[in-house]
Amino acid sequence: MTAVRARVASALKYLSLIVASVVVLLPLGVMLLTSLKTSGELATGSGPLTPPDDWLNLANYVTAFDKGRMAQAAFNTFVILVVSIAGTVFVGSAAAYAIDRFAFRLKKLVVALFLFATLVPSITTQVTTFQVVDRLGLFNTRLAPIMLYLGTDIVAIYIFLQFIRSIPVSVDEAARLDGASSFAVYWRIILPLLKPAIATVVIVKGIAVYNDFYIPFLYMPDQDLGTISTSLFRFKGPFGAHWENISAGAILVIIPTLVVFLLLQRFIYNGLTRGAAK
Amino acid sequence: MTRTSSSLRRGAAEGDRPRDPARRSRRRPRRPWSQSLTPWLFLLVPLALLATFSYVPIINMVVYSFTDWDGVSPGYTFTGLENYAEILTRPELFKVFVASAYYLGASVVQIVLALYFATVLSFSTRFRNLFKGILFFPYLINGVAIGFVFLYFFQEGGTFDTVLRLFGIGGEHLWLGDPDLVNFSLAGVSVWRYLGLNFVLFLGAIQSIAPELYEAAELDGASRWQQFRFVIAPSLRPIIGLTAILAISGSLSVFEIPYIMTGGAGASETFVIQTIKLAFRFNKTGLASAAAVVLLVIILLVAWAQRRLVPEERVTPS
């Protein structure tokens, strides 16, 4: 009796997992199929679930890559990604070092200022942030998103803070006895010991920046400054209902994510758990 | 890997901690004043960025909310509470919250599903890592790509209609054009996209439960449901609290998917899309700021209520 019940339960469990997997994979799979079809195939009413005539028809990818200016977009995204991630690591770890390792006046106020800022969803202040960025002369430059990603990343400070707490103060003090300055302690001792936290920040920040649509859309309308997200968004115009090209563009943007995910799976899970649980 | 190494260090740090304050206070009188500048050198850039990109905008937003500024003219006049009165009295400005309700409902579905899958995949299951990866992957995908994937998926006579026909549900639906359906479709996309994040967070929390607890429960003859109810659920409370507040503030500030997929037209318009349109299309910076202040106050209230209802507990000891 119980054996039967356990079997049914197990069958239901696998059924639910399979259904969920189909729900996740079906829309993506259809996009992949469409990206391999010719416009003729789509026009003659080939159903969304029918396979393409030629599985190796990559013409749409070439079109999407060239006409969608994806090379330029990849370059812009890469520059913004590298600079803002490196900046976040230094800014966040310096702030965390100062807050955890020094006793100074107004420390509580500083911590409270950082804390309150996490509660404010950045999208609500975008109207006035726009004025600030504009007045600083950053509008339509790659510096606009870089500064915004740097300036609004308080989660990184928390991840670093949490981790610095676990590094014994005696390590710093030993270095100080050897005559190291505060800066040397930060640079030579704290930063290298922060490697796991840096990995977390790089992953969380990397995902956020690569996928962000809103900031580049609002602050860099210039065609030449398109990122992966905004360049893909522009497909809506010139390609209209050319779903074979749009699909190819979307798949092109998803592939790097898939590769990184398959290579770094475990670190990504851990990074997000740490990032969100603060 | 990171977990074990940090817990080792934690052990060492805890040994040091108690002596720490005493040591600091002993050192303080001997420190020359120039030394007290050191922390500020490290904080200079972070604080400058925080002020410029968080606090200046927040303060400006509050100031503009009391003005009639259009965002371009050099001057503006203070109009007192007029903007707030307009927001509260023009019902069409409020109807955008109807869309939020759909996303809020979707978050409930999302949290329940995430809990179910996290629980199921915490126990031995074949292809566990494969299922885990599949469920999580959508969270990593670019939002614009997701928008296009589902624009295609929901086309009339497109993938979704074709699949429904396989199950005997015929007809072609305007999944994104019908005002009665559009928010269901968009909220469904949101569940598809964010389920993985909740799932992974819950999974992490479940896996940090000491295995002895399960063993003890099993020895006592607890069923799977009882194990969930009395072992898993209590230790998930803090992370569910966090998820709930993220769900509420997320539902109120939905922007990307509807903007990409429908341009925020008609019933799919959300609060943020409306605010952005007011500010950048209709040049009503003052009114848009007041709307943003309202949203901010609601979100702060929710955060405050959540802290009161679910007192801070550590999710994972750190």
Side-chain angles (χ1 to χ4, degrees):
Chain A
M1 196 51 195
T2 44
V4 174
R5 268 186 66 177
R7 273 228 184 129
V8 172
S10 162
L12 284 177
K13 177 177 86 174
Y14 284 103
L15 183 69
S16 68
L17 286 167
I18 289 165
V19 169
S21 304
V22 170
V23 170
V24 168
L25 295 178
L26 184 73
L28 297 172
V30 169
M31 212 63 177
L32 183 65
L33 292 184
T34 307
S35 73
L36 297 170
K37 291 177 187 173
T38 62
S39 56
E41 275 176 89
L42 283 178
T44 51
S46 139
L49 298 178
T50 38
D53 291 344
D54 174 9
W55 281 94
L56 292 175
N57 167 31
L58 296 178
N60 298 320
Y61 286 88
V62 177
T63 312
F65 192 81
D66 286 345
K67 291 212 180 129
R69 306 177 77 175
M70 288 316 241
Q72 178 72 29
F75 172 75
N76 289 333
T77 305
F78 181 75
V79 170
I80 293 168
L81 201 64
V82 169
V83 179
S84 50
I85 287 178
T88 304
V89 167
F90 288 118
V91 169
S93 58
Y97 174 66
I99 290 170
D100 191 61
R101 291 302 209 245
F102 293 89
F104 55 93
R105 293 175 63 198
L106 303 179
K107 179 161 149 175
K108 279 198 170 148
L109 176 71
V110 169
V111 174
L113 283 175
F114 280 117
L115 187 72
F116 180 74
T118 54
L119 291 175
V120 179
S122 62
I123 201 126
T124 56
T125 52
Q126 222 49 251
V127 174
T128 42
T129 305
F130 186 85
Q131 315 287 345
V132 171
V133 170
D134 196 27
R135 237 169 265 172
L136 288 172
L138 298 176
F139 181 66
N140 242 336
T141 67
R142 286 188 200 94
L143 262 180
I146 289 173
M147 296 300 272
L148 287 169
Y149 294 141
L150 278 186
T152 52
D153 193 0
I154 289 122
V155 172
I157 296 181
Y158 280 98
I159 295 173
F160 284 125
L161 202 54
Q162 204 187 30
F163 206 88
I164 281 187
R165 286 204 179 115
S166 66
I167 301 174
V169 183
S170 54
V171 176
D172 305 26
E173 305 215 321
R176 279 182 193 279
L177 286 178
D178 291 340
S181 66
S182 302
F183 185 76
V185 170
Y186 164 73
W187 187 251
R188 299 236 185 89
I189 301 191
I190 300 292
L191 262 190
L193 285 175
L194 279 179
K195 263 182 206 148
I198 292 175
T200 298
V201 169
V202 169
I203 284 167
V204 174
K205 194 79 190 169
I207 295 169
V209 172
Y210 181 82
N211 289 336
D212 189 36
F213 164 68
Y214 186 62
I215 287 181
F217 176 69
L218 189 60
Y219 295 97
M220 298 192 303
D222 194 324
Q223 284 256 344
D224 294 333
L225 293 177
T227 63
I228 294 279
S229 291
T230 50
S231 300
L232 183 61
F233 185 67
R234 289 202 186 101
F235 274 46
K236 250 188 152 172
F239 294 119
H242 284 283
W243 278 105
E244 70 283 7
N245 292 328
I246 295 180
S247 311
I251 298 288
L252 267 183
V253 168
I254 295 173
I255 286 173
T257 315
L258 181 63
V259 171
V260 170
F261 173 60
L262 292 177
L263 292 176
L264 299 177
Q265 258 190 75
R266 217 155 49 97
F267 299 99
I268 291 176
Y269 294 138
N270 287 341
L272 284 167
T273 321
R274 287 167 153 266
K278 271 186 280 197
Chain B
M1 180 204 87
T2 43
R3 182 164 295 160
T4 51
S5 68
S6 74
S7 68
L8 284 177
R9 287 211 189 86
R10 200 185 306 138
E14 269 156 18
D16 282 330
R17 278 283 134 166
R19 284 187 289 135
D20 185 56
R23 202 189 289 169
R24 277 189 181 165
S25 63
R26 237 192 298 134
R27 199 172 47 190
R28 195 181 287 171
R30 284 193 277 119
R31 202 182 330 160
W33 69 271
S34 66
Q35 277 235 304
S36 64
L37 265 179
T38 320
W40 295 105
L41 288 178
F42 284 98
L43 283 170
L44 196 67
V45 177
L47 280 178
L49 287 166
L50 182 73
T52 317
F53 296 108
S54 290
Y55 284 95
V56 171
I58 294 172
I59 294 165
N60 281 346
M61 180 172 83
V62 175
V63 173
Y64 295 153
S65 74
F66 296 108
T67 72
D68 63 354
W69 197 36
D70 60 7
V72 256
S73 316
Y76 48 77
T77 44
F78 280 88
T79 54
L81 292 171
E82 216 169 82
N83 290 325
Y84 291 95
E86 190 170 350
I87 289 171
L88 294 175
T89 50
R90 270 172 59 185
E92 75 269 24
L93 290 182
F94 250 98
K95 71 163 202 303
V96 287
F97 283 110
V98 173
S100 308
Y102 286 88
Y103 293 97
L104 204 58
S107 327
V108 176
V109 174
Q110 182 179 317
I111 290 172
V112 171
L113 283 176
L115 261 179
Y116 167 75
F117 285 117
T119 312
V120 161
L121 290 177
S122 304
F123 297 103
S124 66
T125 298
R126 252 179 249 200
F127 307 114
R128 198 164 106 177
N129 286 328
L130 178 68
F131 285 126
K132 197 172 145 184
I134 291 175
L135 286 176
F136 173 69
F137 184 62
Y139 176 70
L140 298 179
I141 302 178
N142 186 290
V144 182
I146 293 180
F148 284 151
V149 166
F150 280 95
L151 264 178
Y152 190 63
F153 186 78
F154 282 130
Q155 278 193 331
E156 289 162 80
T159 319
F160 197 36
D161 281 336
T162 312
V163 171
L164 287 181
R165 215 171 299 137
L166 292 180
F167 289 96
I169 305 167
E172 297 193 349
H173 304 83
L174 282 165
W175 293 107
L176 298 169
D178 184 338
D180 293 331
L181 288 177
V182 62
N183 282 318
F184 281 109
S185 314
L186 294 174
V189 176
S190 148
V191 174
W192 187 89
R193 184 179 187 190
Y194 292 111
L195 176 79
L197 178 66
N198 284 343
F199 160 73
V200 162
L201 295 182
F202 292 154
L203 201 64
I206 292 176
Q207 278 165 358
S208 68
I209 299 172
E212 298 84 56
L213 281 177
Y214 296 115
E215 284 162 27
E218 222 150 287
L219 282 180
D220 290 343
S223 67
R224 270 288 150 83
W225 167 249
Q226 283 167 326
Q227 284 184 34
F228 175 79
R229 173 76 187 73
F230 296 106
V231 180
I232 297 178
S235 56
L236 282 178
R237 258 186 55 193
I239 190 94
I240 293 177
L242 177 80
T243 310
I245 174 181
L246 288 179
I248 297 173
S249 68
S251 309
L252 291 169
S253 42
V254 172
F255 165 75
E256 202 174 73
I257 289 296
Y259 190 84
I260 292 165
M261 290 178 64
T262 65
S268 68
E269 186 174 49
T270 67
F271 193 83
V272 173
I273 294 177
Q274 184 187 60
T275 308
I276 301 289
K277 276 187 191 164
L278 282 177
F280 296 110
R281 200 175 297 166
F282 304 115
N283 284 339
K284 293 196 168 188
T285 305
L287 188 61
S289 297
V293 170
V294 169
L295 179 60
L296 182 57
V297 168
I298 297 175
I299 287 173
L300 291 180
L301 277 177
V302 169
W304 175 79
Q306 190 262 335
R307 292 251 155 138
R308 297 300 302 268
L309 293 174
V310 188
E312 188 90 7
E313 290 170 62
R314 300 308 306 187
V315 178
T316 45
S318 51

